């Protein structure tokens, strides 16, 4: 039960953390990409104004220095074209100048005085027209790699995962402590019921720990078990006392009935024999009650017993008495083998036997 409670608490905590941290991480990632995109767009607009002014003045030799300095500072790539889409400057070492890229969609849109901002898995790009009013003098494309942005996103996801793991560890510790506190009375109750089933309850369950409901249940169980033991002891005492008290009167009654035999009419002998038989049957019942009371006070767990050996011993014990009455004892039938019986029950004739 402790494990089930612990798993339920952890499952609930995982659901709560997932409901909080996943949206939080997703919102942060979207915000980080949005901020990077806005920064690229702002830088592209600023560089487009600078390059447009240089193109207007015919200062084309300054363009490589402008885009090169920016690329070194930020790690982005800058491509500048004229109004026909011919590359005037490229900050990449492998970049080529003098070629036309007017057919590329973002450059074509910029030549029509329409800026373009695109976000991809590998890079952010912003393409801006270099214009004054409606006059297009060139275009500028700024490409910024997503490496740094993705690294910041991964760091925040890692921080959220670490925070979630720490919270789960704290929840697990608290849940384990709480589960042990809740189930401790149940464990003591289980041990007490096992002890009560095997015999007297000598170690009552602890009713001072656990939730109030379980403490009340433990107290009620202890009271019930104590009352049950008192009733069983009273029953056993009654059976034992009654058996002892009845043995002497029954023996005296049998002797008196047997002493009447010489003084009775022969026609009354059958009735006398029936009366003696009833007294003997009642005596056997009393002996059975006494044996049962003794057995209830001792072991009540069936054990393997060799029934054939018990029968042989009983026959050997009763043979002398039977011989005096001119009675022959004989054992017939197949061997019974080993059976399970309460110790002493077979010797006293108590019918509590199960074939093994």
């Amino acid at each position: 039960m402790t494990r089930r409670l612990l798993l339920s608490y952890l499952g609930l905590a995982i659901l709560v953390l997932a409901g909080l941290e996943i949206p939080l991480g997703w919102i942060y990632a979207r915000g980080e990409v949005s901020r990077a995109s806005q920064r690229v767009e702002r830088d592209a607009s600023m560089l487009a104004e600078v390059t447009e002014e240089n193109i207007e003045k015919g200062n084309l030799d300054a363009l490589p220095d402008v885009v090169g300095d920016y690329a070194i500072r930020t790690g982005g790539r800058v491509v500048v074209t004229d109004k026909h889409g011919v590359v005037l400057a490229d900050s990449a070492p492998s970049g080529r100048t003098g070629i036309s890229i007017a057919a590329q969609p973002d450059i074509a849109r910029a030549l029509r005085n329409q800026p373009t901002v695109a976000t991809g898995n590998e890079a952010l790009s912003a393409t801006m027209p270099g214009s004054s009013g409606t006059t297009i003098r060139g275009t500028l494309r700024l490409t910024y790699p997503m490496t740094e942005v993705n690294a910041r996103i991964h760091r925040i996801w890692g921080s959220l995962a670490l925070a979630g793991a720490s919270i789960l560890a704290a929840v697990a510790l608290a849940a384990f402590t709480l589960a042990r506190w809740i189930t401790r009375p149940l464990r003591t109750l289980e041990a007490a019921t096992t002890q009560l089933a095997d015999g007297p309850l000598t170690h009552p369950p602890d009713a001072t720990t656990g939730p109030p409901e379980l403490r009340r249940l433990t107290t009620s169980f202890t009271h019930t078990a104590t009352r049950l033991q008192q009733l069983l002891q009273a029953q056993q005492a009654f059976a034992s006392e009654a058996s002892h008290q009845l043995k002497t009167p029954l023996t005296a009654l049998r002797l008196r009935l047997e002493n009447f035999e010489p003084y009775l009419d022969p026609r009354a002998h059958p009735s006398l024999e029936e009366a003696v038989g009833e007294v003997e049957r009642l005596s056997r019942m009393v002996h059975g009650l006494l044996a049962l009371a003794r057995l209830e006070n001792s072991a009540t767990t069936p054990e393997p017993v060799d029934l054939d050996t018990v029968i042989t011993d009983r026959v050997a014990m009763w043979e002398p008495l039977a011989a005096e009455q001119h009675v022959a004892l004989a054992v017939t039938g197949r061997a019974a083998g080993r059976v399970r019986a309460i110790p002493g029950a077979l010797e006293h004739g108590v019918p509590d036997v199960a074939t093994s």
Side-chain angles (χ1 to χ4, degrees):
M1 185 175 180
T2 301
R3 184 173 62 254
R4 290 194 295 270
L5 286 174
L6 181 61
L7 291 177
S8 64
Y9 291 146
L10 287 179
L12 181 60
I14 289 173
L15 288 177
V16 173
L17 287 174
L20 292 176
E21 290 194 350
I22 291 177
L24 180 61
W26 183 79
I27 291 172
Y28 178 84
R30 289 289 301 272
E32 192 67 28
V33 172
S34 177
R35 286 190 293 272
S37 178
Q38 292 174 2
R39 184 173 65 253
V40 170
E41 183 179 3
R42 182 182 64 251
D43 290 353
S45 298
M46 181 187 64
L47 287 172
E49 293 178 1
V50 174
T51 56
E52 187 269 337
E53 182 178 354
N54 286 318
I55 293 173
E56 181 182 8
K57 295 179 178 179
N59 191 14
L60 301 181
D61 294 336
L63 294 178
D65 295 335
V66 172
V67 299
D69 292 341
Y70 180 84
I72 293 173
R73 285 187 291 104
T74 64
R77 179 183 179 182
V78 183
V79 178
V80 180
T81 71
D82 61 11
K83 62 181 180 180
H84 302 293
V86 177
V87 177
L88 299 178
D90 190 341
S91 63
S94 61
R96 297 171 58 190
T97 60
I99 61 174
S100 176
I101 56 174
Q104 297 181 7
D106 58 330
I107 298 297
R109 288 174 58 84
L111 291 175
R112 296 194 300 269
N113 204 16
Q114 296 176 357
T116 301
V117 179
T119 302
N121 294 328
E122 300 297 331
L124 295 172
S125 66
T127 305
M128 298 293 171
S131 61
S132 296
T134 58
T135 302
I136 306 297
R137 294 188 174 86
T139 64
L140 181 137
R141 175 198 289 161
L142 173 59
T143 305
Y144 190 80
M146 288 287 290
T147 305
E148 184 177 347
V149 177
N150 289 333
R152 289 197 295 268
I153 293 175
H154 292 161
R155 282 197 298 271
I156 191 59
W157 278 114
S159 300
L160 290 174
L162 181 60
S166 301
I167 293 173
L168 280 179
V171 170
L173 179 60
F176 180 76
T177 304
L178 181 61
R180 294 281 294 180
W181 177 69
I182 292 175
T183 58
R184 185 179 296 111
L186 296 178
R187 293 193 298 273
T188 59
L189 275 175
E190 181 183 7
T193 54
T194 302
Q195 186 183 41
L196 183 62
D198 295 335
L201 182 62
T202 57
H203 297 87
D206 186 8
T208 61
T209 60
E213 296 81 0
L214 291 180
R215 292 202 298 268
R216 289 194 295 268
L217 176 62
T218 303
T219 303
S220 177
F221 171 80
T222 303
H223 177 73
T224 303
T226 303
R227 180 60 176 162
L228 179 61
Q229 290 183 111
Q230 292 174 350
L231 293 175
L232 289 175
Q233 292 172 359
Q235 179 186 3
Q236 294 169 1
F238 171 76
S240 178
E241 183 67 19
S243 301
H244 280 292
Q245 295 298 328
L246 287 174
K247 283 175 61 178
T248 301
L250 287 175
T251 303
L253 178 59
R254 178 181 176 182
L255 292 175
R256 288 180 181 274
L257 289 175
E258 290 177 348
N259 290 334
F260 285 156
E261 184 176 3
Y263 306 102
L264 293 178
D265 188 276
R267 291 174 295 180
H269 286 177
S271 298
L272 178 62
E273 292 176 356
E274 292 179 0
V276 172
E278 290 298 323
V279 172
E280 290 178 350
R281 189 173 69 85
L282 186 57
S283 296
R284 288 193 299 271
M285 292 176 60
V286 170
H287 281 290
L289 285 175
L290 182 58
L292 181 61
R294 289 172 179 171
L295 290 174
E296 287 179 348
N297 286 324
S298 59
T300 57
T301 302
E303 298 178 355
V305 179
D306 190 341
L307 182 58
D308 298 319
T309 302
V310 174
I311 293 174
T312 302
D313 293 341
R314 294 295 93 190
V315 171
M317 187 183 72
W318 287 102
E319 270 185 343
L321 180 61
E324 292 178 1
Q325 304 296 326
H326 306 287
V327 174
L329 300 179
V331 179
T332 60
R334 62 184 181 85
R338 298 181 67 82
V339 297
R340 294 184 64 83
I342 294 175
L346 294 177
E347 289 79 357
H348 294 286
V350 178
D352 192 1
V353 181
T355 303
S356 60

